[in-house]
Amino acid sequence: MELFGLFAGIAIIGILLVLFLFLLGIIKWLLQGFFLYQVADAKNLDLPILGFVPFGTFYLGGQMYDGNILSKGQVNPKTIGLVFAIAGIIVYITGLSIGDIAISYIIMESIAFLGIFKAYSKSTGVAVLLSLLNVITAGIAAIVILFLYNRKLGEELSDPAVREFEDSDEPETNVDTDGSNRM
């Protein structure tokens, strides 16, 4: 009878652990999706709502390669994103076990987010280190970087000089129209 109690206790602990990890995964997915949506919307990427779709994140991450990893306009950003999304699906389908699938997804996500990390840090070396950190932390680093990049973009867009430039529809001229400062 004691052996049955031991197995029941281990099963309950295992079920609670699986539920906890599932809840943690849902929270990670929602936070990453929200911040990726915010960044994609601020950068005017194609279909920012794909931040909430698992392989859509690869599509948005691939679009950030344009101008950050590759030369601007060298390849259509939508094409790069589509290549990342299709490659991610192929890697996911060919995964041999749940562990392989999870690890390959995190690695593909880190590679796809390399453009976002480079846009945030402005350094390729730091972006590669952030990608490695993202693999080690199972995607938590991406949430932190997306949060920080979202704040950085928000500060850049709230800069008065940027707002005045974006709000004005006509080009600035140095012509004094009221004549009050003439000598």
Side-chain angles (χ1 to χ4, degrees):
M1 201 50 132
E2 292 176 18
L3 192 59
F4 177 73
L6 178 66
F7 287 136
I10 291 173
I12 289 172
I13 290 172
I15 290 170
L16 290 176
L17 183 64
V18 167
L19 287 174
F20 175 74
L21 291 175
F22 179 74
L23 181 64
L24 194 64
I26 294 291
I27 291 170
K28 177 201 173 290
W29 172 67
L30 289 172
L31 285 173
Q32 180 177 320
F34 175 73
F35 291 126
L36 185 58
Y37 171 81
Q38 294 290 326
V39 167
D41 192 37
K43 297 294 280 182
N44 294 324
L45 298 181
D46 186 41
L47 300 171
I49 195 69
L50 289 179
F52 291 101
V53 177
F55 294 101
T57 59
F58 295 173
Y59 179 70
L60 293 175
Q63 288 183 51
M64 288 294 290
Y65 269 61
D66 186 44
N68 294 310
I69 303 295
L70 302 173
S71 299
K72 187 89 171 147
Q74 181 180 2
V75 180
N76 186 357
K78 295 177 187 178
T79 304
I80 300 169
L82 193 58
V83 166
F84 272 112
I86 291 171
I89 291 171
I90 290 171
V91 168
Y92 186 78
I93 289 173
T94 60
L96 302 174
S97 67
I98 299 297
D100 292 341
I101 291 171
I103 291 169
S104 62
Y105 185 86
I106 293 295
I107 291 172
M108 284 295 299
E109 179 184 79
S110 297
I111 293 169
F113 284 0
L114 189 63
I116 295 172
F117 297 155
K118 172 88 187 297
Y120 172 71
S121 66
K122 307 287 189 228
S123 168
T124 304
V126 173
V128 169
L129 289 175
L130 287 173
S131 289
L132 290 174
L133 181 65
N134 191 48
V135 170
I136 292 169
T137 61
I140 303 300
I143 296 171
V144 174
I145 298 302
L146 286 168
F147 169 72
L148 293 173
Y149 191 45
N150 183 33
R151 288 187 60 191
K152 184 178 178 181
L153 288 173
E155 289 172 1
E156 288 175 2
L157 293 176
S158 67
D159 185 21
V162 173
R163 264 189 291 139
E164 288 176 10
F165 180 73
E166 290 175 348
D167 290 343
S168 70
D169 292 333
E170 46 189 71
E172 290 186 26
T173 59
N174 290 334
V175 177
D176 186 16
T177 56
D178 63 355
S180 61
N181 292 333
R182 293 186 184 172
M183 290 189 183

